[in-house]
Amino acid sequence: MQRAVIETYGCTLNHADSDMIEGILKRSEVRVSREGSTEDAKPDYVIVNTCTVKKPTEQRIIDRLEKLRGKGSSIIVTGCMASANPERIKEALPEASIISISNIPTELPKVLEGGQARDSIAYRKVDRAKLIYNPKEVIARIPVSDGCLSSCSFCETKFARGPLNSFSEELILKAVSNAVSNGSKEIELASQDTGAYGADRRTDIADLVSKALSIDGNFRIRIGMLNPEHLHKYFDRLIECYKSDKVYKFLHLPVQSGSDSVLKEMRRNYSAEEFRSYVNEARSKIPGMSISTDMIVGYPTETEEDFLESISLLKETRPAVTNVSKFWERPNASAKRSGRLSNQIIKRRTIEMARLAKSIQYEDLSLAIGTTEKICITEKNSKSYVGRDSFYRNIAVDSAEDLGTDITVRITGNSSVCLMAERIA
Ligand code: SF4
């Protein structure tokens, strides 16, 4: 039996794509391991599913590819870097076959049938919902679309994933239903911009989620990140969905900056005030709603005043999670033509904002100490079992549990990213 290893970098959508690749391999009776070591196993195939969002991640991938040289496995490189920057891959590993994710469904089976692996990078619009595969785990990752409607000036992913391609609502719902009947308790709807879902199919994310709520079973849906630009089209209906026990009270709105002039430069089509009002409205209608956001620090045109506007937006909205990233020039993204702030300024601002985000998260999580929560155990890490409560908070329990089990815990402590708890029922 042939063996393959899938190595995945990047976001939930990339991991969902690796699930799809696992499904294709298994249908060809190839034994699959995920993130396994290649040294000792010497697999027949190594499939590297790449990400291109940040420079350091890209460099890590290049280092990995160089290490795979001459190892005797057939190397297939896919994912965002395969479409946005294939030349760099070829430089690092000339023997690799570069296949864009939209071509994997047609090209990979050919390779597995003994065909010559060849580069296949051209963009193709494919409804990949028919290929959704869930390896019967507690967490099911369901891709709902590829690409997006925006053209953010800092973004490289746009050049990898192309225009919005929403997958069929019917097939997505079928995949959710299959995952639930296979025992999945957490359904992650994934995409570059879940907020744009359906704009090319006369539907939207609120419509999709409201239909998923009629699926029988004990599960919760995590709605992926939503560019605030599209919320006005369905916000009220989306909030109705959040009222269901089948949806985590977790709203991921990447704001990126608190300054309207920087947002304009970034080509983000909303204002800081709009973000503020969505957060306030969501919290007033869903008490305790966990708000998650992303901030880019050190954008080329960001002044000290702009930066302070981002800081005060965080202080005011107190997100449960803030993913702070420093600005990275990307090969195809237009922001690289806007000059660059000094590394010193970028570093100082990034440290300052990361420190603030951490203290907000720590203070807010500490308010939960002594409360009791119903959680579902969804992961096991090296130290403990981890569950999620209805606000999608990370809760580590010190007792051994079965994945997928619902238990009641008392919160005993916290860090800036996690609550600690003891089981009480
Ligand atoms: S919404 Fe913007 S940041 Fe997100 S994938 Fe599209 S262009 Fe990139």
Side-chain angles (χ1 to χ4, degrees):
M1 182 184 245
Q2 290 191 308
R3 286 168 300 155
V5 169
I6 306 173
E7 298 186 3
T8 312
Y9 296 80
C11 64
T12 307
L13 181 65
N14 254 22
H15 284 271
D17 290 338
S18 287
D19 294 340
M20 172 193 74
I21 294 169
E22 180 174 342
I24 294 170
L25 290 164
K26 284 188 170 166
R27 279 193 291 280
S28 300
E29 294 177 2
V30 175
R31 202 168 67 212
V32 179
S33 66
R34 302 283 289 257
E35 324 307 333
S37 67
T38 53
E39 272 65 69
D40 50 353
K42 205 164 182 308
D44 302 282
Y45 304 99
V46 178
I47 296 159
V48 183
N49 188 0
T50 62
C51 167
T52 190
V53 168
K54 296 180 185 167
K55 218 174 193 170
T57 316
E58 196 166 276
Q59 192 50 51
R60 249 184 333 116
I61 294 166
I62 294 296
D63 298 346
R64 177 71 187 134
L65 294 178
E66 284 169 354
K67 278 210 186 90
L68 287 170
R69 266 192 200 168
K71 287 278 193 284
S73 304
S74 168
I75 314 287
I76 294 167
V77 181
T78 188
C80 291
M81 223 180 131
S83 305
N85 205 349
E87 305 78 23
R88 265 208 95 188
I89 296 170
K90 267 299 173 213
E91 265 167 45
L93 190 60
E95 70 237 44
S97 306
I98 305 179
I99 304 177
S100 67
I101 200 69
S102 60
N103 290 320
I104 283 279
T106 46
E107 296 303 314
L108 183 55
K110 288 182 198 159
V111 174
L112 299 174
E113 285 149 20
Q116 179 55 42
R118 60 190 181 86
D119 292 351
S120 175
I121 301 167
Y123 172 78
R124 257 163 25 96
K125 189 168 181 166
V126 181
D127 185 343
R128 289 195 279 113
K130 55 182 176 281
L131 291 159
I132 293 174
Y133 173 80
N134 289 118
K136 297 198 171 113
E137 286 168 3
V138 174
I139 299 176
R141 293 171 282 246
I142 308 279
V144 298
S145 59
D146 240 344
C148 67
L149 290 172
S150 311
S151 55
C152 307
S153 62
F154 53 80
C155 181
E156 187 74 1
T157 313
K158 182 74 188 176
F159 297 88
R161 297 276 181 164
L164 179 66
N165 169 22
S166 301
F167 304 153
S168 131
E169 198 174 64
E170 190 198 339
L171 291 175
I172 293 168
L173 293 168
K174 192 162 162 242
V176 172
S177 177
N178 289 345
V180 171
S181 40
N182 282 335
S184 296
K185 301 293 281 289
E186 179 174 311
I187 306 292
E188 297 182 356
L189 301 182
S191 150
Q192 258 82 52
D193 180 8
T194 315
Y197 173 75
D200 52 344
R201 276 182 182 266
R202 295 173 183 278
T203 180
D204 58 42
I205 189 65
D207 200 41
L208 175 69
V209 174
S210 67
K211 286 178 181 156
L213 298 181
S214 59
I215 295 170
D216 283 339
N218 171 17
F219 64 95
R220 278 201 184 116
I221 295 171
R222 188 194 77 173
I223 301 174
M225 61 181 141
L226 307 130
N227 182 333
E229 169 181 355
H230 308 294
L231 281 186
H232 63 277
K233 300 168 192 164
Y234 48 72
F235 192 60
D236 294 343
R237 288 182 289 116
L238 188 65
I239 289 292
E240 286 309 306
C241 297
Y242 274 104
K243 291 179 181 167
S244 161
D245 285 345
K246 286 185 177 170
V247 179
Y248 283 112
K249 320 291 176 231
F250 175 82
L251 182 61
H252 186 181
L253 297 182
V255 68
Q256 305 298 9
S257 175
S259 151
D260 287 348
S261 64
V262 173
L263 288 174
K264 195 155 176 270
E265 292 284 337
M266 286 177 167
R267 294 207 291 266
R268 300 285 283 182
N269 302 319
Y270 53 83
S271 66
E273 184 49 37
E274 283 172 87
F275 172 78
R276 223 182 250 113
S277 69
Y278 285 129
V279 169
N280 295 339
E281 196 178 338
R283 284 181 174 149
S284 69
K285 293 191 172 149
I286 312 284
M289 174 80 101
S290 280
I291 303 291
S292 171
T293 196
D294 304 352
M295 277 282 191
I296 292 177
V297 181
Y299 189 80
T301 60
E302 182 188 75
T303 63
E304 195 63 22
E305 291 68 38
D306 294 326
F307 173 65
L308 294 175
E309 283 185 89
S310 295
I311 290 284
S312 60
L313 184 66
L314 284 190
K315 283 182 177 166
E316 196 189 320
T317 56
R318 299 187 67 80
V321 179
T322 304
N323 307 304
V324 179
S325 307
K326 64 180 185 181
F327 170 76
W328 292 101
E329 280 165 15
R330 303 310 294 125
N332 298 297
S334 62
K336 75 173 185 187
R337 293 191 290 278
S338 310
R340 186 175 167 74
L341 297 174
S342 73
N343 288 342
Q344 209 190 354
I345 289 177
I346 296 177
K347 191 171 173 202
R348 173 184 58 76
R349 290 180 185 170
T350 308
I351 291 170
E352 191 178 327
M353 188 180 284
R355 208 172 274 149
L356 171 66
K358 204 173 171 186
S359 69
I360 290 171
Q361 290 168 201
Y362 185 87
E363 285 158 19
D364 284 12
L365 284 175
S366 66
L367 300 173
I369 294 179
T371 62
T372 60
E373 302 290 344
K374 279 205 173 69
I375 66 172
C376 176
I377 301 293
T378 52
E379 290 163 60
K380 178 181 180 330
N381 62 31
S382 54
K383 295 197 201 88
S384 57
Y385 286 81
V386 177
R388 299 273 181 179
D389 67 358
S390 57
F391 299 103
Y392 203 63
R393 293 181 297 188
N394 239 338
I395 302 181
V397 283
D398 50 12
S399 51
E401 305 292 345
D402 294 329
L403 293 183
T405 317
D406 294 323
I407 64 171
T408 304
V409 297
R410 179 179 300 111
I411 307 298
T412 55
N414 72 287
S415 70
S416 61
V417 290
C418 183
L419 292 167
M420 283 71 95
E422 60 187 4
R423 179 174 180 164
I424 56 173

